[in-house]
Amino acid sequence: MSNLIQLTNGAAHIVDNAWTLIKLPATQVEARKQAGKVVLFKLTGEKTVTETQVANTVIPANGKLIVPLTVLIARKAELQTRIDANEIGVWLDTHEVLETLIENQANLNALPLIAVHVERCADGRIFSLGVLLRTRYGFKNELRAIGDVLRDQLFFLKRSGFTSFAIRADRSATEAIASLNDFTQPYQGAVDEVRPAFTRYNRAG
Amino acid sequence: MYKYDEIDQRLVDERVTQYREQTRRYLAGELSEDEFRPLRLQNGLYIQRHAPMLRIAVPYGMLSSKQLRKLADIASRYDKAYGHFTTRQNIQLNWPKLEDVPDILAELATVEMHAIQTSGNCIRNITTDQFAGVAPDEVVDPRAMAEIIRQWSTFHPEFALLPRKFKIAVSGTKEDRAVVQMHDIGMEFYLDHHHKLAIKVWVGGGLGRTPILGTVIREHLEWQHALTYCEAIVRVYNLHGRRDNSYKARIKILVKALGIDAFKSQVEAEWAHLKDAPNTITEAELARVSPHFAPMPYLALADEDASFDVAIASNLGFAAWAKRNVHAHKVPGYRAVTLSLKPHGKPPGDATSAQMHSVADLADQYSFGELRVSHEQNLILADVKVSDLLSVWEKARANGLASPNIGLLTDIICCPGGDFCSLANAKSIPIAEAIQIQFDDLDYLHDIGNIELNISGCMNACGHHHVGHIGILGIDKDGSEWYQVSIGGSQGNHASLGSVIGPSFSADEMPSVVQKLIDVYLQERTAEEQFIDTVRRLGIAPFKAQVYGEKNSAQNEVAV
Ligand code: SF4
C-alpha cells in the first residue's frame, strides 16, 4: 500500500505515487550536511555534490521524475522538453541553497512538483524552505516532504506549505494522517492560514 | 495576569491529547528512543540520572495562587512532595514517572498551565523582570508583549525544530533585571521620542560553553513589528545555524561567524519581506492582552505606616528581613516581598508542597492572589501593604521562607547539578549548602553586603556562573569532581563575564576559597564599594594571591 499522504483542498488522502525519485549515485566524498549553509558554502566554498555524480545520474526515458536540484541545473537542456511536458519535478536537500533553484528556474510553477528531502526528522530547515517556496517565491504546485518524514512533524509541515508527505516506509501513513490536525486553532499565521488567531477571531469577545 | 480564552484552553487540551498519544506509541515500541526524544523534550521531559525530570512552564514567571496549589498537589501526588524553581522562572519536578506525565499535563491544563517548549531545540519560555508592573523604575510593563510573543512562539511551525534551544527575554526598566544581553534575543522596551512604544533588540547572547553577551541588532523597532522581526532573525538562524555540532549550534556562534554586520544585513533582508505581514501585531490585540496586566485594585494609602515603623524599631529579626527581602513599589503604601527559597543548608530554589500551599495562602491573603518566580530562584509577592509586612514575615518565617538573605552571599543561584542532572560534571547543591553553612552569621552577611554567587554543575551554565560576582563551575578531572572559580562576572546594565582565578579546587576546599575571596574584599574595600566594585578596581591579582598563597597549587592543578 502507498505511504503517500496528499492534501487536496484541506482534505488528506492516501494516494498512489505517480512520481519516481531519482537519486544521485553514491560518492566517496563525505558531505557535511548538517553544517549550516553559511559555514558550508559562503565561508568554506565546499560543495556537497560532485560533477561526476551529476553526470552519472541515470535519468529514465519515460515517466514522471523528481530529479536532484544539481541535476536539474546542470542538465537542464537535456530535460527541457520533458519539463515542458510536465514530467519533471525537482528535489533538494535541506542543506542545499534554495536560491540556486530560483536563479536557474525563474518560473518555478513550470515544475508540477518540488520535494524537500529531510535526512533526520529533527532537521527543521525543511519548514523554512517550505515557507520560502510558498511565500517568497510563489510556488503553487505540489510541495512534497520526503525522507525521514514522520507523523509528529506533519502538522508543522502542513503549516509550512507542504501538501504531500511521503511517510517513511516502515511507518503507517494511515495512522499518521490523524496528526495533520493535532491542533485546530493555532496562534500564529503561517502558510496554510496566514492570519494569526488575533485577526482570525474576535478574541476580545 | 493572563487568563485563557477558548483558543488558549483548546490548544493546551489538544496538547495533552497529542502527548498522551506520543507517550503511548513510545511505550508500545512504535516510536524509537531517538524519535521520541525531541517530542518529550519539547514537552519538558528529560531522562535524568535517577528518574525523568519534568519542567513546567511558568510564562515570564507569573503564577496564581490556584496554579501554585495545583503544583503543590501534583508534586505530592506524582513526586516527592517538592519542586525546584529554576533560573528560567520555571518549575521542575525531579521524580515523576514517564507514564504519569500525560496525566500531570491534564491536571496542569485545568489551571491554564502546560510544559510546552520548556526544553528541546525550540523557542523556550519568555522571561522577564520579576518586578514587572510594580517596579518604580519601570518605563514599560513588558508582560503584555511577553504574552503576545509567547503565543506567537507556541508551536510556531517554521521554528519547531531549530538547531538548538532559543531563549527570548524582555524588559522594560532602566536597570535591566531580565538579563536581556544573556539571551538569544533580548528585547528592551522603551518609549521613543514620540512617546511611542519601541524596542531595542539584542541578539546572540548566551552562557554555556562559549559565553557571549548579546549585541544590539536594532536600536529602534516599533512594537507592532516584534513578531515579524523575530521571525526574520529566527529564520536566518534556522537555515544557517550549525546542526553538525551541538556546542556550536546556538545563534551566538552564527552571529560571531558572520559578524554582526553581515548577520544584521541578512536579517534586514528577510525582514524586508516580512514587515507588515499578517503576524504584525494589531492595536486591537495589544488592547486585548494589556488589561490582563492592569494595575491591581490598590487602596489609596500613605507610604508610611506607624505599626511597621514600630515593629522595625523593636524587632531585630523583622528589621533584618525588611532590609533585604522587601522592595520598593510604584504605588505608595505597597511593597514587593521576596520569599527566600535559600534557607541555609537546603538546596537553593526548592520548595516543598507544604511551602507552596503556604505561599499560595499568603498570596491570597496579602497580594491579590498572584505571585512571581524570580530568575534568582525565589518567590515574589508583588503587592503587599506596608501594614501587612509584619504578618507576612511571621507566616513566612513559620514556613521557612523568610531567610533574610536576598541579594546576600547565601542567596545562591544554583543548578540541580550532579545530584539530579545527567549532564553534570560535579554536584552543585552540596557546594551551595556548605557555603551557606560557612557563612551562617547574619550580621556578617550584611556586612559583606550585596554579592551574587552562582554555581553550575557543568559548562551548560544553567546556574549562570559566568555572570556571578563569584562563579563556580563543576568540572570533571579523571572522573572526580573539581570546581573552577571565577570572579568579576555581573548581570544587569553593566553585564560582564567573570575571569577564572586559577586552578580548580576540590569540594572540601570551596567554603574556605570563598572565605578568602571575601577576606580580600573586606580588607581592601572602600566605604562605598560592593564586592564587584572592588574586583573591578583591583583586578583578580590580590584575590588570586590570597587564595593560592598558602596552597600547594601544583598538587591540585587541573587542566581545563
Ligand atoms: S549546568 Fe550542567 S549540571 Fe547544571 S543543570 Fe545545567 S546541564 Fe545540568
Side-chain angles (χ1 to χ4, degrees), chain B residues 58-118:
Chain B
V58 182
Y60 36 90
M62 296 286 302
L63 274 176
S64 69
S65 55
K66 187 178 169 194
Q67 291 174 325
L68 187 61
R69 286 197 184 90
K70 177 58 86 178
L71 291 169
D73 291 343
I74 288 173
S76 298
R77 206 153 136 215
Y78 297 99
D79 203 314
K80 297 188 176 177
Y82 73 93
H84 174 76
F85 289 94
T86 78
T87 54
R88 296 264 318 146
Q89 301 181 298
N90 290 319
I91 179 171
Q92 288 173 187
L93 299 178
N94 283 321
W95 310 89
K97 290 203 193 68
L98 189 142
E99 312 83 74
D100 285 340
V101 172
D103 291 338
I104 296 175
L105 297 180
E107 297 237 14
L108 288 172
T110 65
V111 293
E112 307 182 358
M113 292 188 84
H114 59 78
I116 296 165
Q117 290 168 215
T118 52

Side-chain angles (χ1 to χ4, degrees), chain A residues 32-39 42-43 94 96-97 99 120-129 131-132 135-136 148 150-153 155-160 168 170-171 175 179 181-192 194-205, chain B residues 2 4-12 14-15 18 21-22 24-25 29-32 34-35 38-39 42 147-148 150-162 227 231 234-235 238-245 254 257-258 266 269-270 273-274 278-282 285 288:
Chain A
R32 295 198 294 134
K33 292 175 186 163
Q34 301 302 328
K37 284 180 204 128
V38 169
V39 177
K42 298 194 182 139
L43 298 185
T94 52
E96 292 187 287
V97 178
E99 286 67 30
R120 296 180 312 151
C121 65
D123 181 354
R125 289 179 288 197
I126 189 172
F127 306 128
S128 285
L129 292 172
V131 171
L132 286 171
T135 59
R136 180 79 39 88
D148 197 21
L150 302 176
R151 70 178 275 185
D152 295 294
Q153 283 78 52
F155 177 76
F156 299 129
L157 286 168
K158 175 183 85 167
R159 296 221 65 210
S160 300
R168 206 174 73 193
D170 62 334
R171 294 296 153 85
E175 284 173 19
S179 287
N181 298 310
D182 274 349
F183 301 98
T184 45
Q185 292 175 346
Y187 280 132
Q188 60 298 98
V191 177
D192 62 337
V194 298
R195 292 167 304 163
F198 59 76
T199 51
R200 215 157 65 230
Y201 301 98
N202 176 13
R203 298 187 73 183
Chain B
Y2 187 73
Y4 280 10
D5 68 4
E6 276 168 46
I7 291 176
D8 304 298
Q9 188 64 48
R10 184 172 311 178
L11 197 93
V12 296
E14 288 173 340
R15 171 53 151 191
Q18 181 196 41
E21 171 62 16
Q22 290 170 344
R24 184 199 65 72
R25 279 187 277 139
E30 295 168 27
L31 273 174
S32 72
D34 277 353
E35 289 158 6
L39 304 179
Q42 302 232 335
E147 174 59 27
I148 290 170
R150 181 193 76 81
Q151 298 195 11
W152 161 82
S153 67
T154 301
F155 302 131
H156 194 301
E158 188 178 345
F159 309 133
L161 293 164
L162 296 172
L227 305 183
E231 278 176 349
V234 187
R235 178 175 295 166
N238 188 40
L239 283 168
H240 300 313
R242 290 183 65 165
R243 289 169 186 267
D244 58 334
N245 178 341
L254 179 66
L258 286 172
Q266 291 204 25
E270 274 306 318
H273 296 279
L274 288 165
N279 282 337
T280 305
I281 307 165
T282 57
E285 176 63 355
R288 176 184 80 86

